[in-house]
Amino acid sequence: MVRMRQQFTDHGVPAPAVESRTAAVCRNLDGDERVVVLARGFLLVVDPATERCAQVPFPNGNEEYPYICFAGSDGTFYTGAGTQFLAFDPFEGMFLHAEDVGAAGELVGFSFAESADGTIYFAAYPHCRLFAYHPSERRVAKFGSLDKTEKYPSHLAADAEGWVYAGIGTERKGIVAYRPADGLAVQLVPEDERTRGMGVVHASADGAVFGHWAFSDLREEETPERYRWMRFQGGRAVPVDWRDVPPSLYSGAAFFRLHRQLSGAWRVEKHDLAERELTLRAADGAGVRTIPLRYECGGAQLSPLAAGPDGRVYGTSNHPLHFFRYDPAEERLRSFGGKAIQFGGGGNLCAYASVGPVLAGAAYPGGHLHLFDTRLPVSEEGEPRNPRIAVSHKEVHRPRCMLAHSDGEHVLYGGYPGYGAVGGGLCVYNVATGVDTLLTHERIVPYQSTICLAEGKGGAVFGGTSVETPGGAEPRETRAKLYRLRWDGLTVDRVWSPVEAREIVWVYADRLGRIHGMTSGSSYFVFDPDAETVVAETDLSAWGTPVRVGLTALEDGLVYGALSRALFRLDPDSDAPVKLAEPPVPATSGLAVAGGRLFFGAGSHLWSFALERDGEVSEEGSREI
């Protein structure tokens, strides 16, 4: 009998890299400069003159993600990670302040500003709370929430008269003028203009504050003339011509943003921890320098896995996205890096399905559908790319599920919508013809998002939903649904509320036509759609929490699943899962079967579990753990 611990194999880290989480140029009073690049759990200090690079971990073992950083006028570097506010001296290489100031689940340091007297203001998600750090006293003061409903305080600036301005969103954009001296808060965006989007403010080099709220598409990279610009002063907004608006001290987009710029012969062009490079361009444009960024890390977290039609296991990492493949026959793990997936950036492929030799994957951000011909090599240059983008839908900005229909031509994928929206769409795509059909949430279950799919009798598609809105909007519903989509006509003919849950995270249709499902609270249920009754329900919370794509069904009828502390087999003829084993480390993503092994992600590591060995199935060995 083979012991279970020997049946688990750690195949290593597919993506030994981290993602840049913004950077800043810090200049002290003597004119010395350092480039500080943020990452999850640490920062890098780069001397652009000597090209020396030093890695400094966050204090107290903090391994949370930062979201933005800020270079103070005296050269101090500021950021936040999780609930912790951080002030760092990049010239001495030491933290000046590290304090947990946020409430549980709060992310501080979502935006920063500096007042004329040197006070550093910063805001936190999801309660839009404002804080102030007084460097001379090394003290943090807490203010209240700037908005009752909005979650994202993504922009902050302070004027010379002591007012702080916060650009907020995403469901109802706004710009709040706040006077810390007495707590007066004024919403500057008229109520009828507080539509979906984000208010934007920025400080210029001379300390003046500008911004806009005219558009709601959340694309900050658009050209300035698109917007109706304002100058903010003394708690008021005054219209200005866009040609009179000086640039922000921030440049770049998303996590490649940079605060301030080098002042000498070189300029920072790009910081990229995933590629381990800091690119400098000569101020006169005559040359380029590349400084290696050296660091150690535990690797990027893994997103869901898939067994390809070629018998290999595929997946991506998350923040940064690296596309990888594991070949069980060769026992070889290969990473294709971050450029293989077009527009991948800090996202990930969230769900997969195979049609013939093609492996389809749905990607965050943007709802892109990628098609990968597994017969051909990965090609990131030229035409055609492999993988290639077939279609994109902002209504499925955050995909969560995908299904290959038994007709042999179609894939369906669903998920959450973009920022500020409620209710995600469902895309039905014909891989053979390229015909694309989008079903909005109004045609499925209004104000809910499809996050799991299964095919039942007669080709009907069953979907499980979520009421959650990870893009910042307020949920409209409280209870997840199960629905049936008729394949002929693509219409929903039945909607049920089988269990009390905010999310149904996976569903499976057995040969009797019953629907097996799992909720976000680890409640397993079996639902009979013909009788419209729940025939079984079991609390599996002792097995842990659900993992992303925690179920895989094989063509021979075997079904395997994973919770964070249990691998199990689903018996279609039974009303209860059969536990196979507890993984030696918690599972965080699933789930693929290839080469007789069940593959899952555990943080940044790829693991597998032998389903059979020497003729004995895995549950026989589970008693020996």
Side-chain angles (χ1 to χ4, degrees), residues 30 49 66 152 156 172 218 284 298 375 435 485 511 530 546 593 596:
D30 295 326
Y152 285 84
L156 211 62
R172 300 176 69 243
L218 301 171
D284 61 7
R375 299 167 298 182
V435 174
L485 177 74
R511 51 180 163 258
D530 294 329
V593 173

Side-chain angles (χ1 to χ4, degrees), residues 4 17 130 133 137 142 173 175 194 220 256 282 322 375 417 423 431-432 445 453 456 469 492 500 568 598 621:
M4 181 64 63
L130 184 68
Y133 175 66
E137 305 172 30
K142 301 178 182 180
K173 61 177 177 277
I175 294 178
R194 295 198 64 190
E220 298 168 32
F256 288 110
H322 279 196
R375 299 167 298 182
V431 175
V445 180
L453 293 164
T469 52
V492 173
E500 182 66 44
F568 59 86
L598 180 63

Side-chain angles (χ1 to χ4, degrees), residues 25-46:
V25 174
C26 297
R27 184 180 307 112
N28 65 15
L29 300 180
D30 295 326
D32 299 323
E33 294 181 323
R34 298 290 186 271
V35 180
V36 184
V37 187
L38 272 177
R40 182 188 183 190
F42 67 87
L43 54 81
L44 287 184
V45 182
V46 183

Side-chain angles (χ1 to χ4, degrees), residues 268-342:
V268 175
E269 183 171 87
K270 187 177 182 180
H271 56 91
D272 193 339
L273 287 176
E275 300 298 326
R276 298 177 182 259
E277 293 180 345
L278 175 67
T279 304
L280 306 183
R281 182 171 294 276
D284 61 7
V288 174
R289 287 169 54 199
T290 300
I291 299 177
L293 298 179
R294 302 179 180 90
Y295 62 87
E296 297 180 354
C297 69
Q301 304 292 297
L302 300 190
S303 290
L305 308 172
D310 57 355
R312 296 162 169 167
V313 175
Y314 291 88
T316 63
S317 58
N318 185 21
H319 294 294
L321 186 158
H322 279 196
F323 184 49
F324 66 86
R325 178 179 72 200
Y326 180 78
D327 190 327
E330 299 179 358
E331 298 185 350
R332 182 189 179 195
L333 178 62
R334 180 179 178 183
S335 175
F336 298 102
K339 298 178 181 179
I341 303 298
Q342 193 174 11

